[in-house]
Amino acid sequence: MTVNHGMGEKTGVSVPLYQAKAELFRTLGHPVRIRVLELLQDGPKPVRDLLATIDVEASNLSQQLAVLRRAGLVTSYRDGPLVMYALSTPDVADLLAAGRRILGAVLTDRDALLDELRADGRDR
């Protein structure tokens, strides 16, 4: 597997799959990047629409879009005067949906545990 080491630099060094997955999840580890990916689930959007929806400076959004582009999670293209961004594959939306399901299960389990702890405390 060829790995992208940032700044568009690629090497032919093979890395274990778990390391490549860890890099993918590190890329996802920023709230602005997640928000961009969520917004792109409905289809391509111009940068100006992303900027209008996400409360960040233009330079910060540009930096986060570049990280997502280098990771291969989004693609960009020109549509006349507009720079458009789109998810590179529907699998990105599937990953976000899986994240929501996991969070829902984890939070439900925590709520159940909290209820159990509260009930246990009243019994004493």
Side-chain angles (χ1 to χ4, degrees), residues 4 8 10-11 19 25 31 33 41 48-49 51 60-61 64 68 80 106 112 119-120:
N4 187 337
K10 290 189 178 188
T11 66
Q19 189 174 339
F25 285 108
R33 292 181 214 144
Q41 290 179 100
R48 69 176 185 198
D49 289 5
L51 195 53
N60 187 351
L61 179 60
Q64 301 311 326
L68 290 169
V106 168
D120 188 44

Side-chain angles (χ1 to χ4, degrees), residues 23-85:
E23 186 61 35
L24 170 67
F25 285 108
R26 273 193 292 279
T27 299
L28 295 173
H30 193 286
V32 171
R33 292 181 214 144
I34 293 294
R35 188 68 182 122
V36 165
L37 296 174
E38 288 174 344
L39 292 169
L40 294 178
Q41 290 179 100
D42 297 329
K45 294 208 177 356
V47 173
R48 69 176 185 198
D49 289 5
L50 295 172
L51 195 53
T53 306
I54 303 171
D55 188 27
V56 295
E57 296 291 324
S59 61
N60 187 351
L61 179 60
S62 178
Q63 180 183 30
Q64 301 311 326
L65 288 168
V67 170
L68 290 169
R69 216 175 33 250
R70 281 193 304 269
L73 296 174
V74 300
T75 59
S76 64
Y77 60 93
R78 282 207 169 273
D79 184 8
L82 301 175
V83 177
M84 304 290 292
Y85 278 85

